[in-house]
Amino acid sequence: MQTTRALLPEPARRFAAWCVVLLLAAGVAAVGIWLCIFFQTAVTPVLLAILGTALLGPLYRRLLGMKVRKALAAALTVVAVVAVVGGATYIVVLALIESGSQIVDSLRQAAEDIAKHFGAAGTSLDDLAANAEGLLKRFGGTAASGVISGLSVVGEMMATAVLALLLIFFFLKDGDRAAGALRSLAPRATGDLVEAMARRAFEAVEGYMRGTTFVALVDAVIIGAGLLVLDVPGAVGLAALVFVTAYIPYLGAFLSGAVAVLVALADRGFAIALWVLGIVLAVQVLEGNVLQPFVQSKTVQMHPAAVMLAITAGASVAGILGMLLAVPLTAAATGILGELRSRYEVPRDAPPEGTAAAPEGTA
């Protein structure tokens, strides 16, 4: 009997199969991203609500442990987040308004000082500061002349915030029904897998949000205290900037630290700027070697390269909002891949498929 000869060898066929799988996955991801961008008005509140639910879950569960009814516990949690976020926003905005002009003046002075010593590089910084001031003035004039456009943007932001809060309430109150809903939507054979992947993804996002908030608070408190001790102008505003930018890993710390050092250089001199640089670097070392490993030990660990690529991709897709959402979504995807790997990965000591394991006691 004549055997048919394969057109391609086995390694080539495997390579082609993997190429097809990767192309299909890339196509599905591209369509999903396009749909999210097209329906961003509806998708953005949902994503923000998921992040808020992940962050507020422990408070909600503690209220349930105190025998508070689900609806009341969810409502109290939403009220608490409105009070905390509203108060924090007021403090941050007030601090930035009070010290914003002082920070800008210090940055201008730093640019002039650098221009005296480094020539073109410092001149570029000075030009950048001047252009930024001009752009801000023009932006202010445009905003003043386009009141309707400004009101439209503010109205859209308010609607997004209100919708996100309502979704947080329902996600907290009816979160236990999510598993049943996923099971009803998924085919019977994959119900357990879909539920496990969803739980793993949410646990990853929950751990990331709690950990990032804790790290941001520690960074802001330590750097803010150091700036106050060194009598750097705008210390409270700079600490607020550190806290906000900490939600953008690596890049946010670099930007806020650079601003703090430049302000100290302009207003307090080279020696104080070195002290501020030392404080910022010490905080980053503490974060990278103590805080982040401790926080990520119970959640999904992500390589810094993957985090940077996720931030870059998020910024190219949705700007600042994309940068904020990129890492949590990457953590969720990493959690799903981890669940799939734990279920389908073949142990290294397992016998090859189609062969029987040797009985005990045989060579």
Short mmCIF file of all heavy atoms in Angstrom, two decimals, residues 104-169:
data_model
loop_
_atom_site.label_atom_id
_atom_site.label_comp_id
_atom_site.label_asym_id
_atom_site.label_seq_id
_atom_site.Cartn_x
_atom_site.Cartn_y
_atom_site.Cartn_z
N VAL A 104 5.76 76.35 38.36
CA VAL A 104 6.08 76.76 36.99
C VAL A 104 7.22 77.77 36.99
O VAL A 104 8.15 77.69 36.16
CB VAL A 104 4.83 77.33 36.30
CG1 VAL A 104 5.18 77.95 34.96
CG2 VAL A 104 3.79 76.23 36.10
N ASP A 105 7.17 78.75 37.92
CA ASP A 105 8.26 79.73 38.01
C ASP A 105 9.59 79.05 38.34
O ASP A 105 10.64 79.43 37.79
CB ASP A 105 7.93 80.78 39.07
CG ASP A 105 6.75 81.65 38.66
OD1 ASP A 105 6.46 81.71 37.45
OD2 ASP A 105 6.11 82.25 39.55
N SER A 106 9.54 78.06 39.22
CA SER A 106 10.77 77.34 39.56
C SER A 106 11.30 76.57 38.37
O SER A 106 12.52 76.50 38.14
CB SER A 106 10.52 76.39 40.75
OG SER A 106 10.12 77.12 41.89
N LEU A 107 10.40 75.98 37.59
CA LEU A 107 10.84 75.27 36.39
C LEU A 107 11.46 76.22 35.38
O LEU A 107 12.47 75.90 34.73
CB LEU A 107 9.65 74.51 35.77
CG LEU A 107 9.13 73.30 36.55
CD1 LEU A 107 7.89 72.72 35.87
CD2 LEU A 107 10.21 72.23 36.66
N ARG A 108 10.88 77.41 35.24
CA ARG A 108 11.46 78.41 34.33
C ARG A 108 12.85 78.82 34.80
O ARG A 108 13.80 78.93 34.00
CB ARG A 108 10.56 79.65 34.28
CG ARG A 108 9.23 79.45 33.57
CD ARG A 108 9.40 79.32 32.07
NE ARG A 108 10.10 80.45 31.49
CZ ARG A 108 9.51 81.55 31.06
NH1 ARG A 108 8.19 81.68 31.15
NH2 ARG A 108 10.21 82.52 30.51
N GLN A 109 13.00 79.02 36.11
CA GLN A 109 14.30 79.40 36.65
C GLN A 109 15.31 78.27 36.46
O GLN A 109 16.48 78.51 36.15
CB GLN A 109 14.15 79.73 38.15
CG GLN A 109 15.42 80.23 38.81
CD GLN A 109 15.93 81.53 38.18
OE1 GLN A 109 15.14 82.41 37.86
NE2 GLN A 109 17.24 81.63 37.99
N ALA A 110 14.85 77.02 36.64
CA ALA A 110 15.75 75.89 36.43
C ALA A 110 16.20 75.82 34.97
O ALA A 110 17.37 75.54 34.69
CB ALA A 110 15.05 74.58 36.82
N ALA A 111 15.28 76.09 34.05
CA ALA A 111 15.65 76.09 32.63
C ALA A 111 16.69 77.16 32.33
O ALA A 111 17.65 76.94 31.58
CB ALA A 111 14.40 76.29 31.77
N GLU A 112 16.52 78.35 32.93
CA GLU A 112 17.49 79.43 32.71
C GLU A 112 18.85 79.07 33.29
O GLU A 112 19.90 79.35 32.68
CB GLU A 112 16.96 80.72 33.32
CG GLU A 112 15.70 81.26 32.63
CD GLU A 112 15.16 82.48 33.34
OE1 GLU A 112 15.77 82.88 34.36
OE2 GLU A 112 14.12 83.02 32.89
N ASP A 113 18.86 78.45 34.49
CA ASP A 113 20.13 78.07 35.09
C ASP A 113 20.84 77.00 34.26
O ASP A 113 22.07 77.04 34.08
CB ASP A 113 19.90 77.55 36.51
CG ASP A 113 19.40 78.65 37.44
OD1 ASP A 113 19.60 79.84 37.10
OD2 ASP A 113 18.80 78.32 38.48
N ILE A 114 20.06 76.03 33.76
CA ILE A 114 20.66 74.98 32.93
C ILE A 114 21.17 75.58 31.63
O ILE A 114 22.21 75.16 31.09
CB ILE A 114 19.64 73.86 32.67
CG1 ILE A 114 19.31 73.14 33.98
CG2 ILE A 114 20.16 72.85 31.65
CD1 ILE A 114 18.22 72.10 33.86
N ALA A 115 20.46 76.59 31.10
CA ALA A 115 20.91 77.22 29.85
C ALA A 115 22.25 77.91 30.03
O ALA A 115 23.07 77.95 29.10
CB ALA A 115 19.85 78.23 29.39
N LYS A 116 22.51 78.46 31.22
CA LYS A 116 23.79 79.12 31.45
C LYS A 116 24.95 78.14 31.46
O LYS A 116 26.06 78.48 31.08
CB LYS A 116 23.74 79.87 32.79
CG LYS A 116 22.75 81.03 32.82
CD LYS A 116 22.74 81.67 34.19
CE LYS A 116 21.72 82.82 34.25
NZ LYS A 116 21.66 83.43 35.60
N HIS A 117 24.67 76.91 31.90
CA HIS A 117 25.76 75.95 32.05
C HIS A 117 25.85 74.95 30.89
O HIS A 117 26.93 74.47 30.57
CB HIS A 117 25.60 75.16 33.36
CG HIS A 117 25.72 76.00 34.58
ND1 HIS A 117 24.65 76.69 35.12
CD2 HIS A 117 26.80 76.29 35.37
CE1 HIS A 117 25.04 77.36 36.20
NE2 HIS A 117 26.35 77.14 36.37
N PHE A 118 24.71 74.66 30.25
CA PHE A 118 24.70 73.61 29.23
C PHE A 118 24.30 74.12 27.85
O PHE A 118 24.10 73.34 26.94
CB PHE A 118 23.75 72.47 29.65
CG PHE A 118 24.21 71.77 30.88
CD1 PHE A 118 23.66 72.09 32.12
CD2 PHE A 118 25.18 70.78 30.83
CE1 PHE A 118 24.07 71.44 33.26
CE2 PHE A 118 25.60 70.13 31.98
CZ PHE A 118 25.05 70.46 33.19
N GLY A 119 24.12 75.40 27.70
CA GLY A 119 23.89 75.97 26.38
C GLY A 119 22.59 75.55 25.75
O GLY A 119 21.52 75.83 26.28
N ALA A 120 22.68 74.87 24.61
CA ALA A 120 21.50 74.58 23.79
C ALA A 120 20.49 73.74 24.53
O ALA A 120 19.27 73.91 24.38
CB ALA A 120 21.92 73.87 22.50
N ALA A 121 20.96 72.77 25.36
CA ALA A 121 20.02 71.91 26.07
C ALA A 121 19.14 72.73 27.00
O ALA A 121 17.92 72.59 27.04
CB ALA A 121 20.77 70.83 26.85
N GLY A 122 19.76 73.62 27.76
CA GLY A 122 18.99 74.45 28.66
C GLY A 122 18.11 75.43 27.92
O GLY A 122 17.00 75.74 28.32
N THR A 123 18.63 75.98 26.80
CA THR A 123 17.81 76.89 26.01
C THR A 123 16.56 76.20 25.51
O THR A 123 15.48 76.78 25.48
CB THR A 123 18.62 77.43 24.82
OG1 THR A 123 19.82 78.01 25.31
CG2 THR A 123 17.82 78.45 24.04
N SER A 124 16.68 74.94 25.13
CA SER A 124 15.52 74.18 24.68
C SER A 124 14.50 74.05 25.80
O SER A 124 13.30 74.17 25.58
CB SER A 124 15.95 72.80 24.17
OG SER A 124 16.85 72.93 23.09
N LEU A 125 14.99 73.80 27.01
CA LEU A 125 14.07 73.72 28.14
C LEU A 125 13.38 75.05 28.39
O LEU A 125 12.17 75.10 28.67
CB LEU A 125 14.83 73.27 29.40
CG LEU A 125 15.29 71.82 29.44
CD1 LEU A 125 16.15 71.58 30.68
CD2 LEU A 125 14.07 70.89 29.46
N ASP A 126 14.15 76.13 28.28
CA ASP A 126 13.55 77.45 28.47
C ASP A 126 12.51 77.73 27.40
O ASP A 126 11.42 78.24 27.69
CB ASP A 126 14.65 78.51 28.44
CG ASP A 126 14.13 79.87 28.89
OD1 ASP A 126 13.12 79.88 29.63
OD2 ASP A 126 14.71 80.88 28.50
N ASP A 127 12.83 77.40 26.15
CA ASP A 127 11.86 77.59 25.07
C ASP A 127 10.62 76.73 25.28
O ASP A 127 9.49 77.15 25.02
CB ASP A 127 12.50 77.25 23.72
CG ASP A 127 13.60 78.23 23.34
OD1 ASP A 127 13.60 79.35 23.91
OD2 ASP A 127 14.45 77.87 22.52
N LEU A 128 10.86 75.51 25.78
CA LEU A 128 9.72 74.63 26.03
C LEU A 128 8.82 75.21 27.11
O LEU A 128 7.59 75.19 26.99
CB LEU A 128 10.24 73.25 26.45
CG LEU A 128 9.18 72.19 26.75
CD1 LEU A 128 8.35 71.91 25.50
CD2 LEU A 128 9.83 70.90 27.25
N ALA A 129 9.41 75.75 28.15
CA ALA A 129 8.60 76.35 29.21
C ALA A 129 7.83 77.56 28.69
O ALA A 129 6.65 77.75 28.99
CB ALA A 129 9.50 76.75 30.39
N ALA A 130 8.52 78.41 27.89
CA ALA A 130 7.84 79.58 27.32
C ALA A 130 6.71 79.16 26.39
O ALA A 130 5.60 79.74 26.42
CB ALA A 130 8.85 80.45 26.58
N ASN A 131 6.97 78.18 25.55
CA ASN A 131 5.93 77.72 24.64
C ASN A 131 4.77 77.10 25.41
O ASN A 131 3.60 77.26 25.04
CB ASN A 131 6.50 76.69 23.66
CG ASN A 131 7.47 77.33 22.68
OD1 ASN A 131 7.36 78.51 22.39
ND2 ASN A 131 8.43 76.54 22.19
N ALA A 132 5.10 76.36 26.49
CA ALA A 132 4.02 75.78 27.28
C ALA A 132 3.16 76.86 27.91
O ALA A 132 1.93 76.76 27.95
CB ALA A 132 4.62 74.88 28.38
N GLU A 133 3.81 77.94 28.38
CA GLU A 133 3.03 79.03 28.96
C GLU A 133 2.14 79.68 27.90
O GLU A 133 0.97 79.99 28.15
CB GLU A 133 3.99 80.06 29.57
CG GLU A 133 3.26 81.20 30.30
CD GLU A 133 4.24 82.17 30.93
OE1 GLU A 133 5.45 81.97 30.77
OE2 GLU A 133 3.76 83.12 31.57
N GLY A 134 2.70 79.87 26.68
CA GLY A 134 1.89 80.44 25.61
C GLY A 134 0.73 79.55 25.23
O GLY A 134 -0.39 80.02 25.00
N LEU A 135 1.00 78.25 25.18
CA LEU A 135 -0.07 77.32 24.85
C LEU A 135 -1.16 77.33 25.91
O LEU A 135 -2.35 77.25 25.60
CB LEU A 135 0.51 75.92 24.68
CG LEU A 135 1.33 75.66 23.42
CD1 LEU A 135 1.94 74.26 23.46
CD2 LEU A 135 0.46 75.81 22.18
N LEU A 136 -0.73 77.41 27.17
CA LEU A 136 -1.73 77.46 28.24
C LEU A 136 -2.58 78.72 28.13
O LEU A 136 -3.80 78.69 28.33
CB LEU A 136 -1.03 77.41 29.60
CG LEU A 136 -0.45 76.04 30.00
CD1 LEU A 136 0.31 76.16 31.31
CD2 LEU A 136 -1.57 75.02 30.11
N LYS A 137 -1.94 79.87 27.81
CA LYS A 137 -2.73 81.10 27.66
C LYS A 137 -3.70 80.99 26.50
O LYS A 137 -4.85 81.38 26.59
CB LYS A 137 -1.78 82.28 27.45
CG LYS A 137 -0.97 82.66 28.69
CD LYS A 137 -0.07 83.84 28.42
CE LYS A 137 0.72 84.23 29.66
NZ LYS A 137 1.64 85.36 29.41
N ARG A 138 -3.20 80.42 25.38
CA ARG A 138 -4.08 80.26 24.23
C ARG A 138 -5.22 79.29 24.53
O ARG A 138 -6.34 79.47 24.13
CB ARG A 138 -3.28 79.78 23.03
CG ARG A 138 -2.85 80.93 22.12
CD ARG A 138 -2.23 80.41 20.86
NE ARG A 138 -0.81 80.16 21.05
CZ ARG A 138 -0.04 79.61 20.15
NH1 ARG A 138 -0.55 79.21 19.00
NH2 ARG A 138 1.23 79.43 20.37
N PHE A 139 -4.85 78.21 25.28
CA PHE A 139 -5.88 77.26 25.65
C PHE A 139 -6.93 77.91 26.55
O PHE A 139 -8.12 77.68 26.41
CB PHE A 139 -5.25 76.07 26.37
CG PHE A 139 -6.24 75.07 26.89
CD1 PHE A 139 -6.86 74.18 26.03
CD2 PHE A 139 -6.55 75.03 28.24
CE1 PHE A 139 -7.76 73.26 26.50
CE2 PHE A 139 -7.46 74.12 28.71
CZ PHE A 139 -8.08 73.23 27.85
N GLY A 140 -6.45 78.74 27.48
CA GLY A 140 -7.41 79.44 28.33
C GLY A 140 -8.31 80.36 27.54
O GLY A 140 -9.52 80.44 27.79
N GLY A 141 -7.72 81.08 26.56
CA GLY A 141 -8.56 81.95 25.73
C GLY A 141 -9.55 81.17 24.91
O GLY A 141 -10.71 81.56 24.76
N THR A 142 -9.09 80.05 24.37
CA THR A 142 -10.01 79.22 23.58
C THR A 142 -11.12 78.67 24.45
O THR A 142 -12.29 78.62 24.04
CB THR A 142 -9.23 78.07 22.92
OG1 THR A 142 -8.16 78.62 22.15
CG2 THR A 142 -10.12 77.24 22.02
N ALA A 143 -10.75 78.24 25.65
CA ALA A 143 -11.78 77.71 26.54
C ALA A 143 -12.77 78.79 26.94
O ALA A 143 -13.98 78.54 27.07
CB ALA A 143 -11.13 77.10 27.79
N ALA A 144 -12.26 80.01 27.15
CA ALA A 144 -13.17 81.09 27.52
C ALA A 144 -14.10 81.46 26.37
O ALA A 144 -15.27 81.78 26.59
CB ALA A 144 -12.35 82.32 27.95
N SER A 145 -13.58 81.44 25.14
CA SER A 145 -14.42 81.79 23.99
C SER A 145 -15.36 80.65 23.61
O SER A 145 -16.44 80.89 23.08
CB SER A 145 -13.56 82.16 22.79
OG SER A 145 -12.75 81.07 22.42
N GLY A 146 -14.94 79.42 23.88
CA GLY A 146 -15.79 78.28 23.52
C GLY A 146 -16.46 77.71 24.74
O GLY A 146 -16.15 76.59 25.17
N VAL A 147 -17.35 78.46 25.35
CA VAL A 147 -17.99 78.02 26.58
C VAL A 147 -18.85 76.78 26.33
O VAL A 147 -18.88 75.84 27.14
CB VAL A 147 -18.85 79.16 27.16
CG1 VAL A 147 -19.58 78.70 28.40
CG2 VAL A 147 -17.98 80.36 27.45
N ILE A 148 -19.51 76.75 25.21
CA ILE A 148 -20.39 75.63 24.92
C ILE A 148 -19.60 74.34 24.80
O ILE A 148 -19.97 73.30 25.35
CB ILE A 148 -21.19 75.89 23.63
CG1 ILE A 148 -22.09 77.12 23.81
CG2 ILE A 148 -22.01 74.68 23.24
CD1 ILE A 148 -22.87 77.48 22.56
N SER A 149 -18.45 74.42 24.10
CA SER A 149 -17.60 73.24 23.97
C SER A 149 -17.08 72.79 25.32
O SER A 149 -17.04 71.60 25.64
CB SER A 149 -16.44 73.54 23.02
OG SER A 149 -15.57 72.44 22.94
N GLY A 150 -16.66 73.75 26.13
CA GLY A 150 -16.17 73.42 27.46
C GLY A 150 -17.24 72.78 28.32
O GLY A 150 -17.00 71.79 29.01
N LEU A 151 -18.45 73.32 28.27
CA LEU A 151 -19.55 72.73 29.02
C LEU A 151 -19.87 71.33 28.53
O LEU A 151 -20.24 70.45 29.31
CB LEU A 151 -20.79 73.63 28.92
CG LEU A 151 -20.72 74.96 29.66
CD1 LEU A 151 -21.99 75.77 29.40
CD2 LEU A 151 -20.52 74.75 31.16
N SER A 152 -19.73 71.12 27.22
CA SER A 152 -19.98 69.79 26.68
C SER A 152 -18.99 68.78 27.22
O SER A 152 -19.36 67.66 27.60
CB SER A 152 -19.92 69.84 25.15
OG SER A 152 -20.05 68.55 24.60
N VAL A 153 -17.71 69.17 27.27
CA VAL A 153 -16.69 68.26 27.81
C VAL A 153 -16.93 67.98 29.28
O VAL A 153 -16.87 66.82 29.74
CB VAL A 153 -15.28 68.86 27.58
CG1 VAL A 153 -14.22 68.02 28.28
CG2 VAL A 153 -14.98 68.97 26.09
N VAL A 154 -17.22 69.03 30.04
CA VAL A 154 -17.48 68.85 31.47
C VAL A 154 -18.71 67.98 31.68
O VAL A 154 -18.73 67.09 32.54
CB VAL A 154 -17.64 70.22 32.15
CG1 VAL A 154 -18.10 70.05 33.60
CG2 VAL A 154 -16.33 70.99 32.11
N GLY A 155 -19.74 68.22 30.87
CA GLY A 155 -20.95 67.41 30.98
C GLY A 155 -20.69 65.95 30.67
O GLY A 155 -21.22 65.05 31.34
N GLU A 156 -19.86 65.70 29.66
CA GLU A 156 -19.53 64.31 29.32
C GLU A 156 -18.75 63.64 30.43
O GLU A 156 -18.99 62.47 30.77
CB GLU A 156 -18.73 64.29 28.02
CG GLU A 156 -18.39 62.89 27.53
CD GLU A 156 -17.65 62.90 26.22
OE1 GLU A 156 -17.55 63.98 25.59
OE2 GLU A 156 -17.14 61.85 25.81
N MET A 157 -17.82 64.39 31.04
CA MET A 157 -17.05 63.82 32.15
C MET A 157 -17.95 63.53 33.35
O MET A 157 -17.82 62.49 34.00
CB MET A 157 -15.93 64.78 32.54
CG MET A 157 -14.85 64.93 31.49
SD MET A 157 -13.59 66.15 31.96
CE MET A 157 -12.96 65.41 33.46
N MET A 158 -18.87 64.46 33.64
CA MET A 158 -19.79 64.23 34.75
C MET A 158 -20.70 63.04 34.49
O MET A 158 -20.96 62.21 35.38
CB MET A 158 -20.63 65.49 34.98
CG MET A 158 -19.83 66.68 35.50
SD MET A 158 -19.15 66.38 37.15
CE MET A 158 -20.66 66.24 38.10
N ALA A 159 -21.19 62.91 33.25
CA ALA A 159 -22.04 61.77 32.92
C ALA A 159 -21.26 60.46 33.04
O ALA A 159 -21.79 59.46 33.55
CB ALA A 159 -22.59 61.93 31.50
N THR A 160 -20.01 60.46 32.60
CA THR A 160 -19.18 59.26 32.74
C THR A 160 -18.97 58.89 34.19
O THR A 160 -19.06 57.71 34.58
CB THR A 160 -17.82 59.48 32.05
OG1 THR A 160 -18.04 59.77 30.66
CG2 THR A 160 -16.95 58.25 32.17
N ALA A 161 -18.71 59.91 35.03
CA ALA A 161 -18.48 59.64 36.46
C ALA A 161 -19.74 59.11 37.13
O ALA A 161 -19.68 58.15 37.91
CB ALA A 161 -18.01 60.92 37.15
N VAL A 162 -20.89 59.73 36.83
CA VAL A 162 -22.15 59.28 37.43
C VAL A 162 -22.48 57.85 37.00
O VAL A 162 -22.87 57.00 37.81
CB VAL A 162 -23.29 60.24 37.07
CG1 VAL A 162 -24.63 59.68 37.52
CG2 VAL A 162 -23.05 61.60 37.73
N LEU A 163 -22.32 57.57 35.70
CA LEU A 163 -22.59 56.22 35.21
C LEU A 163 -21.64 55.20 35.83
O LEU A 163 -22.06 54.08 36.18
CB LEU A 163 -22.48 56.20 33.68
CG LEU A 163 -22.77 54.86 33.00
CD1 LEU A 163 -24.15 54.36 33.36
CD2 LEU A 163 -22.62 54.99 31.49
N ALA A 164 -20.37 55.57 35.98
CA ALA A 164 -19.41 54.66 36.61
C ALA A 164 -19.79 54.38 38.06
O ALA A 164 -19.70 53.23 38.53
CB ALA A 164 -18.00 55.26 36.54
N LEU A 165 -20.25 55.40 38.79
CA LEU A 165 -20.68 55.19 40.18
C LEU A 165 -21.91 54.28 40.26
O LEU A 165 -21.99 53.40 41.13
CB LEU A 165 -20.98 56.54 40.84
CG LEU A 165 -19.77 57.42 41.14
CD1 LEU A 165 -20.22 58.78 41.64
CD2 LEU A 165 -18.87 56.76 42.17
N LEU A 166 -22.85 54.48 39.35
CA LEU A 166 -24.02 53.60 39.34
C LEU A 166 -23.63 52.16 39.02
O LEU A 166 -24.14 51.21 39.62
CB LEU A 166 -25.04 54.11 38.31
CG LEU A 166 -25.74 55.43 38.65
CD1 LEU A 166 -26.63 55.87 37.50
CD2 LEU A 166 -26.57 55.28 39.93
N LEU A 167 -22.71 52.00 38.09
CA LEU A 167 -22.25 50.66 37.75
C LEU A 167 -21.50 50.02 38.91
O LEU A 167 -21.61 48.81 39.15
CB LEU A 167 -21.37 50.71 36.50
CG LEU A 167 -22.09 51.00 35.19
CD1 LEU A 167 -21.09 51.15 34.05
CD2 LEU A 167 -23.09 49.91 34.85
N ILE A 168 -20.72 50.82 39.64
CA ILE A 168 -20.04 50.29 40.82
C ILE A 168 -21.05 49.77 41.83
O ILE A 168 -20.89 48.69 42.42
CB ILE A 168 -19.14 51.38 41.46
CG1 ILE A 168 -17.93 51.66 40.57
CG2 ILE A 168 -18.66 50.95 42.84
CD1 ILE A 168 -17.07 52.81 41.05
N PHE A 169 -22.13 50.52 42.02
CA PHE A 169 -23.19 50.09 42.96
C PHE A 169 -23.76 48.74 42.53
O PHE A 169 -23.88 47.81 43.36
CB PHE A 169 -24.29 51.15 43.01
CG PHE A 169 -25.52 50.71 43.75
CD1 PHE A 169 -25.55 50.74 45.14
CD2 PHE A 169 -26.65 50.27 43.07
CE1 PHE A 169 -26.68 50.32 45.83
CE2 PHE A 169 -27.78 49.86 43.75
CZ PHE A 169 -27.79 49.88 45.14
#
